[in-house]
Amino acid sequence: MRVAGTAGGRSAGANLLALRSHNTALVLDLLRRAGSEGISRLELAEGTGLTPQAVSKITARLRERGLAAEAGRRASTGGKPPTVLRLVPQAGHAVGVHADRDELRAVLVDLNGTVAAERRARLDFAAGAEAVVERVAAEAEALVAEVFPGAGAHGDADAAPLARVDSLVGVGVALPGPLDHTRGVLHRVTGFPEWDGFALRDALVRRLGVPVAVDKDTNAAALGLAVAGAGDSFVYLHLGTGLGAGLVIGGSVHRGARTGAGEFGHQVIQLDGPPCGCGDRGCLEALCLAAVARGETAEAARVLGTGAANLVALLDIDLVLLGGRTVAAAPEEFVTGVGAVLAARARREGLRQEAVPVRTAPGGGRAVAEGAAQLLLGPVFGRGDG
């Protein structure tokens, strides 16, 4: 399943990066949302606010580079029947990697976000930067080789394996924070202070030879959920080996001025409480994980709900989505428990509307990895800043 290169020898992956402009992103986003039925140039102009002439120029470039194709014609309402265009999903791919403290999950997705392949492996975050970088790179290369076994057979034999895949835009990596999303540099990951200051993105670019984006697991999942249509105002709470939040406000992931927003698990809710791995005491994460370790799921849900209620009150968001392996082990209990705390808070505050709904996040265990792929693909469609 090799996607052929486009005119002039430039790959589709390179084309996508070169085409990253606001107007092109508007058109590509509408093409993606239209699905296989397609959309006419007139509808693209109406949906984007661009002139028909501008839309024609953009779609001509997209067709020339293999990113859009004709999908037939609409019934005529007088005059020449309009041609309908569709996105070519296989013209671009991205790898998404979720590097957790003890496990790695990688997916390869096309432009529609459809998963073409998936891999899971053990990962020891304490093994050190060199070992983790090599494991992430090896799994990404093995994943792509499953779908593109003959990729690059006629390309640059000296190029890195992923760089020889014509349609590959790059690799997104999501992992526990805090980290600097803009520079791709890790900070003091809870429990692993030795990672502080490590330039993970640059190390992976050198090893893989393709563009790489790095972000927190919660931000990646939130971006993926936003792209999939979860809403314009929600919080994604991830409870696994740690606890964090991804915030979507106004349809965009909110990372903050220093890309450190969403360190939800380290809000102190019990002064002089039990010590947390971050060095503080009484953190939400420490209390929640301690309850999980004791097998007290209802108590863990109540603690998580307290933090969620604080967040809802602070940001006035519309939806709370829960994810992570711990939630996946008892989804109904967590949804019910968190929802009960939010409902009680709403009653105490005398709110007339119903409490903010609580649901499990779609995507299951792949939500973070799929979102990591959107760190590369999202900006192509005007979603996220990569």
Side-chain angles (χ1 to χ4, degrees), residues 304-325:
L304 183 58
T306 299
N310 291 341
L311 200 54
V312 168
L314 183 66
L315 299 177
D316 194 22
I317 53 179
D318 296 331
L319 173 67
V320 174
L321 294 172
L322 306 179
R325 71 176 74 169

Side-chain angles (χ1 to χ4, degrees), residues 8-383:
R10 299 185 63 200
S11 69
N15 284 332
L16 278 167
L17 295 177
L19 285 168
R20 275 176 57 170
S21 71
H22 177 69
N23 290 347
T24 302
L26 293 176
V27 172
L28 282 168
D29 187 47
L30 285 182
L31 284 169
R32 181 167 65 168
R33 283 194 275 162
S36 59
E37 294 183 3
I39 185 171
S40 70
R41 290 178 178 81
L42 178 59
E43 290 168 326
L44 286 171
E46 293 172 347
T48 60
L50 300 172
T51 65
Q53 292 82 1
V55 167
S56 292
K57 290 180 180 178
I58 291 171
T59 55
R61 288 199 300 270
L62 294 177
R63 290 187 62 192
E64 177 186 354
R65 301 183 184 193
L67 298 166
E70 290 190 3
R73 292 183 180 274
R74 292 269 170 84
S76 175
T77 56
K80 184 179 179 180
T83 300
V84 176
L85 300 173
R86 64 174 178 85
L87 183 71
V88 179
Q90 295 77 24
H93 293 84
V95 173
V97 177
H98 179 194
D100 208 344
R101 293 171 175 88
D102 59 357
E103 182 184 67
L104 181 149
R105 186 187 294 249
V107 298
L108 179 72
V109 307
D110 65 16
L111 294 181
N112 279 336
T114 302
V115 175
E118 177 181 7
R119 287 179 68 89
R120 296 179 68 179
R122 300 295 300 173
L123 183 68
D124 182 4
F125 213 68
E130 184 177 341
V132 171
V133 167
E134 181 56 34
R135 189 58 182 270
V136 169
E139 290 297 326
E141 289 173 345
L143 175 76
V144 173
E146 292 180 9
V147 180
F148 300 96
H154 304 289
D156 184 356
D158 295 327
L162 296 191
R164 298 197 297 266
V165 178
D166 290 343
S167 68
L168 190 67
V169 179
V171 177
V173 181
L175 64 163
L179 55 80
D180 184 334
H181 160 74
T182 303
R183 297 190 300 129
V185 175
L186 275 65
H187 294 321
R188 294 177 64 86
V189 178
T190 303
F192 302 91
E194 65 275 15
W195 280 88
D196 189 17
F198 181 72
L200 178 62
R201 184 187 64 194
D202 290 349
L204 284 169
V205 167
R206 288 192 298 270
R207 171 62 177 80
L208 293 170
V210 296
V212 175
V214 173
D215 206 346
K216 292 193 296 188
D217 46 14
T218 50
N219 285 345
L223 173 61
L225 292 167
V227 169
D232 290 335
S233 171
F234 67 88
V235 59
Y236 169 74
L237 301 181
H238 185 91
L239 180 59
T241 58
L243 174 61
L247 309 172
V248 172
I249 300 174
S252 300
V253 176
H254 177 71
R255 295 185 174 91
R258 290 164 294 280
T259 77
E263 287 301 308
F264 171 78
H266 298 295
Q267 55 175 303
V268 175
I269 64 171
Q270 182 181 331
L271 295 178
D272 301 322
C276 179
C278 73
D280 215 329
R281 303 183 69 91
C283 290
L284 187 68
E285 177 178 296
L287 295 169
C288 197
L289 292 180
V292 171
R294 296 193 302 268
E296 299 175 0
T297 304
E299 172 64 10
R302 186 183 71 83
V303 172
L304 183 58
T306 299
N310 291 341
L311 200 54
V312 168
L314 183 66
L315 299 177
D316 194 22
I317 53 179
D318 296 331
L319 173 67
V320 174
L321 294 172
L322 306 179
R325 71 176 74 169
T326 303
V327 170
E332 293 184 5
E333 290 183 79
F334 275 101
V335 168
T336 300
V338 172
V341 177
L342 292 179
R345 175 76 66 92
R347 288 194 297 271
R348 288 198 304 273
E349 294 176 351
L351 298 178
R352 295 182 179 180
Q353 68 270 30
E354 295 182 359
V356 171
V358 180
R359 297 197 288 268
T360 54
R366 296 197 310 211
V368 173
E370 291 182 26
Q374 292 301 327
L375 295 173
L376 273 299
L377 295 182
V380 172
F381 298 93
R383 303 300 300 260

